[in-house]
Amino acid sequence: MAEIVFLGTAGAMADAEHGNTHLAVLYGAKVLLVDSSGNPAARLRQVGIDPLRVNDIIITHFHPDHVSGVPILLMELWLLGRRAPVRVHGLEHAITRLQAMMALYEPWRWPEFFEVQYHALPEQAGATVLENSGLRVVSAPVQHLLPTVGLRFEFLTEGKVAAYSCDTEPAAAVVALARSADVLIHEAAGETRGHSSAEQAGGIAAESGAKALYLVHYHPAPVGGTPDALPAQAAKSFPGPVTLAVDGMRISIEQ
């Protein structure tokens, strides 16, 4: 059974209960990590996932709350004895900056450090990120403050689809990614430049024909947000089920 696990659900301002938004996608024995903030290996262990199962990482864009955990994750995998390559996918804007960031840590000085294979995605709708017997992932540029991609996950064994907006204003690209999806995961940081409100997220879910909406990348209450009100706001524009995602929550992708 495939699953999506919320390792963090906050926007750029996290708190003790909410890490910055990043996701684990489980399919078969494999784990795909979407963004990497804080200490991803610790978060994975908290939800019962062995970090060594991570084979692919998608970096949606190069903002600190989405990439800060990459170096410590790669270092911890090395310390755990990993020798198989790890593949990192993202737009060229993110990949070149991530490579430069990693170079500051001089990983060539880490004995027997595994290969990190960087794959730059074309900045176009419908670009294939990865495809194998269990999962196909495609990306499309969305509308954030710098080059950013949203994602569509097609679970081939289960015949189900999930989509993730990442950080974005309401965008036609997200509507296309989420077309008839079983699950849409959409940010709800507020109606500001490069972001969306919960009500706008509901509008995207309705327009795309998604069956269920999960809200992420919101402001937790201790740092000025009122997240408990977000589902009702999204429900103004979306008639389907709306869930405020919290850290550790799992979505089961069943046949």
Side-chain angles (χ1 to χ4, degrees), residues 145-157:
L145 304 177
L146 46 70
T148 303
V149 290
L151 302 167
R152 179 181 175 91
F153 308 96
E154 299 175 355
F155 296 92
L156 305 178
T157 302

Side-chain angles (χ1 to χ4, degrees), residues 1-248:
M1 180 178 69
E3 289 184 298
I4 297 173
V5 184
F6 296 98
L7 303 178
T9 52
M13 295 187 293
D15 67 5
E17 288 76 38
H18 302 80
N20 300 124
T21 297
H22 57 307
L23 316 170
V25 180
L26 284 61
Y27 60 107
K30 299 176 181 178
V31 174
L32 164 65
L33 191 63
V34 179
D35 287 332
S36 177
S37 62
N39 189 329
R43 287 280 176 168
L44 288 164
R45 289 193 194 91
Q46 286 175 355
V47 296
I49 300 171
D50 182 353
L52 288 170
R53 290 175 59 191
V54 174
N55 292 309
D56 291 272
I57 304 169
I58 298 174
I59 299 301
T60 59
H61 64 293
F62 198 79
H63 270 162
D65 54 320
H66 294 262
V67 301
S68 65
V70 173
I72 192 65
L73 173 63
L74 296 180
M75 186 176 199
E76 186 158 344
L77 293 178
W78 166 65
L79 291 171
L80 288 170
R82 186 186 184 96
R83 296 296 177 263
V86 170
R87 296 174 291 273
V88 181
H89 313 263
L91 294 174
E92 184 177 0
H93 182 276
I95 290 295
T96 55
R97 285 159 177 78
L98 182 59
Q99 288 175 306
M101 181 172 73
M102 281 301 302
L104 295 174
Y105 296 99
E106 301 183 338
W108 53 85
R109 298 184 186 273
W110 306 353
E112 298 185 83
F113 182 55
F114 55 85
E115 181 185 7
V116 181
Q117 300 173 346
Y118 294 96
H119 299 276
L121 303 173
E123 198 167 342
Q124 64 187 40
T128 298
V129 182
L130 63 87
E131 184 171 8
N132 54 42
S133 59
L135 180 68
R136 179 172 184 259
V137 184
V138 298
S139 67
V142 294
Q143 296 179 27
H144 192 40
L145 304 177
L146 46 70
T148 303
V149 290
L151 302 167
R152 179 181 175 91
F153 308 96
E154 299 175 355
F155 296 92
L156 305 178
T157 302
E158 292 77 9
K160 301 291 185 179
V161 172
Y164 175 40
S165 70
C166 194
D167 296 14
T168 183
E169 297 174 19
V174 179
V175 175
L177 288 169
R179 183 70 64 195
S180 301
D182 298 279
V183 171
L184 170 59
I185 301 165
H186 202 291
E187 72 122 287
E191 190 175 351
T192 59
R193 185 182 173 207
H195 291 286
S196 303
S197 68
E199 186 171 353
Q200 289 174 319
I204 295 295
E207 186 177 354
S208 67
K211 297 179 178 65
L213 173 63
Y214 287 76
L215 300 175
V216 295
H217 204 274
Y218 51 82
H219 302 307
V223 291
T226 53
D228 290 344
L230 295 178
Q233 293 170 17
K236 294 177 182 178
S237 52
F238 178 59
V242 181
T243 302
L244 182 71
V246 296
D247 292 24

